[in-house]
């Protein structure tokens, strides 16, 4: 039997809502799906509806779990007002925006960008629906999302027309109609 120090540490999936109000993270084991921590930034900063980046939140969460960024295998982001990955994949522009004071310096932190992990991105409304479906104790059912915000049809259509169909890291509501299954993707 392996000693605790020799046991392989878990690979993690980090679910993220950032760059909007109510920034939050969910950290789960990739192998079992066990949720290790769910944390809202407002509970960390003590500022109601705190938003923006996840740098200090994720750094503290991983420290509390005695894990590191090296354990993060996959990041799943929800785009609330704009696509997250294209925004984060322009590091010079992001650094320049931080230098000018348009965004906090922590936007460029490795704890916010998670550069060594794979990234997937869901539309805002799919993030709501799939978070409910994943936790539901039913084999089948219907999830209805009624929300006052999120991305518009035009934004989703633009993403699909501008290469979204080839961008497997982004899933919008428009993909559901062309999908053979509406089940939660597992890869």
């Amino acid at each position: 039997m392996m000693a605790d120090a020799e046991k392989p540490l878990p690979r993690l999936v980090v679910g993220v809502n950032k760059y909007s109000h109510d920034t939050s993270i969910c950290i789960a084991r990739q192998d079992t799906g066990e949720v290790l921590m769910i944390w809202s930034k407002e509970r960390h900063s003590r500022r109601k509806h705190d938003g923006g980046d996840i740098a200090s939140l994720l750094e503290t969460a991983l420290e509390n779990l005695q894990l590191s960024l090296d354990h993060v295998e996959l990041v799943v982001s929800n785009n609330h007002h704009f696509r997250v990955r294209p925004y984060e994949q322009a590091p010079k522009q992001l650094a320049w925006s931080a230098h000018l004071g348009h965004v906090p310096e922590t936007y460029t932190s490795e704890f916010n960008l998670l550069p060594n992990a794979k990234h997937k991105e869901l539309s805002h409304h799919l993030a709501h629906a799939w978070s409910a479906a994943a936790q539901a104790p039913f084999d089948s059912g219907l999830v209805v999302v009624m929300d006052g915000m999120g991305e518009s049809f035009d934004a989703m259509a633009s993403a699909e027309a501008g290469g979204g169909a080839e961008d497997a890291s982004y899933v919008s509501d428009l993909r559901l109609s062309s999908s053979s299954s509406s089940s939660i993707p597992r890869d």
Side-chain angles (χ1 to χ4, degrees), residues 96-112:
W96 180 246
S97 293
H99 179 74
L100 293 175
H102 295 160
V103 298
E105 290 284 339
T106 52
Y107 274 38
T108 63
S109 167
E110 66 180 345
F111 285 95
N112 184 56

Side-chain angles (χ1 to χ4, degrees), residues 4 6 29 35-36 42 54 110 126 150 152 162 170 174 176:
D4 285 343
E6 296 172 3
R29 287 181 60 115
V35 174
L36 303 176
E42 72 177 17
I54 61 163
E110 66 180 345
L126 282 180
S152 67
Y170 177 65
L174 299 180
L176 293 180

